[in-house]
Amino acid sequence: TLLRVVATVFDLLTYMGAGLVAGLMYLNTEAREGRSQDEIAVQVYPIVQGVVTLIAAVVNLVSYLHVGAVTGSYTQRVCELLEHVEALPAHTWQEDGDSGDGYTPSRDVSVSRLSVQVPGSSAEGMLVHNLTAQLTKNKRVLVTGPCGAGKSALLRVLARVWAPAGGSVCRPEGGADGGLMTLAHRPYFVPGSDLVTQVQFPVPKNGPGARVVTDEEASAVLTAVGLGEVVREIGVRTAINWKDVLSPAAQQRLGLARVLMHKPLVVLLDDALSALTHAELAFTYQLLR
């Protein structure tokens, strides 16, 4: 549809150009019959001005049509997302004891006969079936497998983003500050905030479980993960869009700074250090000890 509009506009501009040339030729012929150049200019100016205004209007129309087409596709995707969210079954979360949805509070992480599948999918969408495992304090587990094997899906269930399709999960309750914390491949950035706020995320500044991070604390953990130069050059109180400033590796280091700041009992790394070099990885794992 957009290509058809562009083709139509091009034809319209061609006809306008031909009319303009014809008008100039006519005026030039009249000038030979005794009209002055000033008289010709007075007659040509309104024609040129009208053509330029019309061209600008047509260009704006094409731009608006393009924006409308792009916005329409995004709007459709958002509506589809909302429909899927509304179709999900409702869950009632409980903080104490067995919640009734397969989760039980514990200081360690363990799963028993756990099954994982994509929410809303059929039995063919089962990614993990009948898994039993345990992760105790100071123990590290590496989950490997080919693409699509269900590694990220398993972490989503452990992080309580997806509900288990079967079995049970024991894990620490609470958020990043003393509970369980998840680091994704690309960390979330609070838009237009300073580094103190970025390091404090996801723990709120006020309300239940609130904590206030000082400039010195933020500088210390950022320097520990290799972002000391950023702290010195930009400062911890400069509010900018950090995802547009930091490299992928620096973004992942900032996620690691959040771990050092909040010291959760369990950390789930979902491809969260892939942008680091081998030497940086060795140093990072030492920090996480």
Side-chain angles (χ1 to χ4, degrees), residues 9 112 126 169 249 274:
V9 172
S112 177
M126 190 72 68
V169 177
S274 58

Side-chain angles (χ1 to χ4, degrees), residues 28-138:
N28 191 39
T29 301
E30 293 294 323
R32 295 194 189 99
E33 296 178 357
R35 295 191 179 188
S36 65
Q37 295 294 328
D38 292 339
E39 293 175 335
I40 295 175
V42 171
Q43 291 182 338
V44 169
Y45 178 75
I47 298 176
V48 175
Q49 187 180 34
V51 171
V52 170
T53 303
L54 183 58
I55 292 175
V58 172
V59 171
N60 288 335
L61 176 61
V62 174
S63 176
Y64 293 149
L65 290 174
H66 175 68
V67 172
V70 174
T71 305
S73 64
Y74 287 146
T75 303
Q76 181 180 1
R77 294 176 63 184
V78 171
C79 291
E80 292 176 353
L81 173 62
L82 292 177
E83 291 177 357
H84 285 290
V85 170
E86 292 176 353
L88 292 176
H91 291 279
T92 302
W93 306 105
Q94 302 177 16
E95 294 297 332
D96 299 323
D98 191 342
S99 60
D101 55 9
Y103 290 93
T104 302
S106 173
R107 291 186 60 84
D108 299 326
V109 174
S110 63
V111 296
S112 177
R113 304 179 63 84
L114 177 67
S115 295
V116 179
Q117 71 179 77
V118 179
S121 65
S122 60
E124 288 75 14
M126 190 72 68
L127 299 173
V128 178
H129 181 66
N130 201 25
L131 173 66
T132 298
Q134 184 175 13
L135 175 62
T136 57
K137 185 178 180 181
N138 297 327

Side-chain angles (χ1 to χ4, degrees), residues 195-236:
L195 283 175
V196 175
T197 302
Q198 302 295 351
V199 169
Q200 179 160 333
F201 181 86
V203 177
K205 295 181 180 179
N206 46 52
R211 177 185 179 184
V212 177
V213 176
T214 65
D215 294 7
E216 292 74 17
E217 289 176 323
S219 300
V221 294
L222 290 169
T223 302
V225 299
L227 295 178
E229 184 176 352
V230 175
V231 173
R232 290 188 296 270
E233 292 184 356
I234 302 180
V236 296

Side-chain angles (χ1 to χ4, degrees), residues 131-153:
L131 173 66
T132 298
Q134 184 175 13
L135 175 62
T136 57
K137 185 178 180 181
N138 297 327
K139 185 177 181 181
R140 291 164 293 279
V141 174
L142 175 64
V143 181
T144 63
C147 181
K151 302 182 297 295
S152 294

Side-chain angles (χ1 to χ4, degrees), residues 182-189 243 248 251-252 255 258 270-274:
T182 303
L183 292 186
H185 175 66
R186 293 183 178 180
Y188 173 78
F189 284 87
K243 68 177 182 179
Q251 293 182 26
Q252 293 186 346
R258 292 170 176 168
D270 187 6
D271 201 22
L273 305 175
S274 58

